[in-house]
Amino acid sequence: MAADPATVITRFAPSPTGYLHIGGARTALFNYLFARHHGGKFLLRVEDTDRKRSSEDAIAAILDGMKWLGLNWDDDVVYQFSRAQRHIECAEQLLKEGKAYKCYASPEELDDMRTQARAEGRPARYDGRWRDRDPSEAPQGVNPVIRLKAPQSGETVIEDEVQGRVVVANEQLDDMILLRADGTPTYMLSVVVDDHDMGITHVIRGDDHLTNAFRQTQLFEALGWKAPKFAHIPLIHGQDGAKLSKRHGALGVSAYRDIGLLPEAICNYLLRLGWSHGDDEIISHSQAVEWFDLSGVGRGAARFDLAKLTNLNGHYIRQADDGMLFDLIEKDLRNNSETKISDIEEARVRAAMPAVKERAKTLVELREAVEIFIAKRPLVFEEKAAKLLHEDARAILKQLHDVLVGLEDWNAEVVEQSIRAFAKANELGFGKIAQPLRAALTGRTTSPGIFDLLVIYGRNESLARISDQMEG
């Protein structure tokens, strides 16, 4: 879709009733990338009109999640509730122009309408009973709602940028409420007025809002405004095809950060949920901005797979700068350490980073992997590691210690040559040496390579750890 770079303005408009969930994050990402691709603006509007459910904590969580993902918005955040008077003025304008009317239908009347409609197999819609009645018939002491006088014939058409041409017969849409009986504006009215006033040119959102688009289009037309272009993207489902929920691993963005995922990996994964660019799977931020357009969005529901996301995160960890990775895990590493981490131990962790990041899929796994380099002697052994240090293994370690203690140089090449020569001279398979040696050095059965371990720990620490395990 060709767009004028000077006019493209998108928005992300979350309701602050909870955390920034993964579906919302994808919607924000698509809006962000579309705006950046076209050199336009990406705006953020907090739809906080539901005062009972909205909270400052939720607002803070949404803003924090957006910033962490790198989805930086332009201009100040717009808070919808603060614009309520503007919304009310627009409804009153429609009322004055005869495009809206006061409805005095009681809750009981509305219930009867719904009951009768269900009994007759019809959709439950307001029947327009106050649409053309004389105001003099209004009951005393009843506060009316204000309804849009929607067209009753013809069609409302949306040329959706993803779904294509979508049409609804106007007779299927009733006269929606613009102002409630207490005078507060409804969601539909607030959204339309805000989108117009913010200059939104493209509304990119989940396809669960498609039915709203018909009503909002009618309201745009009634107000004499040009409606934005709509792009309704399919929702995200779980692997079982059901609507995404917590049981599928659909957590708040902050939870993904807590389990050790990188924002770059999450954005890459969310981008590929429902959008494609050939066979490309690994897509950088700059590539995403360059390539993203709505033509690449599919119409089928995307399926969220936490295992695939975690695997992709492993790729980003392997590609990440070692110093940056240390900075990301340093706080948790120090908090999880029972004693202060010395400069020597920190140096070991930094030296180990190229080796340990090859296996880690999350920052949590990375932190757990490097904890062996700050563990103090005497080591606490995993059960499987302790079983490797049987009598024969300890005897081998004693012989190996005698070889290693005589080395003049201590580097990976010299250490490897010495151990392999020792294995050959004693007709031992390498595993017979490596397994108890790894256990002695780390207290674990998995770790970076043996030779890397010996170099990272250094001569004195390596020999001390081996010596600790030479006798049962």
Side-chain angles (χ1 to χ4, degrees), residues 9 15 82 125 180 191 228 274 324 341 363 367 425 457:
I9 303 177
S15 297
S82 68
R125 290 193 292 265
R180 302 181 185 91
V191 166
M324 182 198 79
I341 298 175
L363 293 177
R367 173 181 56 76
Y457 283 122

Side-chain angles (χ1 to χ4, degrees), residues 110-126:
L110 295 173
D111 285 340
D112 289 343
M113 280 182 221
R114 285 189 283 267
T115 300
Q116 185 174 348
R118 282 193 292 268
E120 297 174 359
R122 296 183 289 105
R125 290 193 292 265
Y126 172 70

Side-chain angles (χ1 to χ4, degrees), residues 6 17 147 201 206 209 257 334 346 472:
T17 55
R147 290 182 180 271
T201 60
H209 285 279
R257 174 168 52 186
R334 294 187 187 280
E346 178 181 325

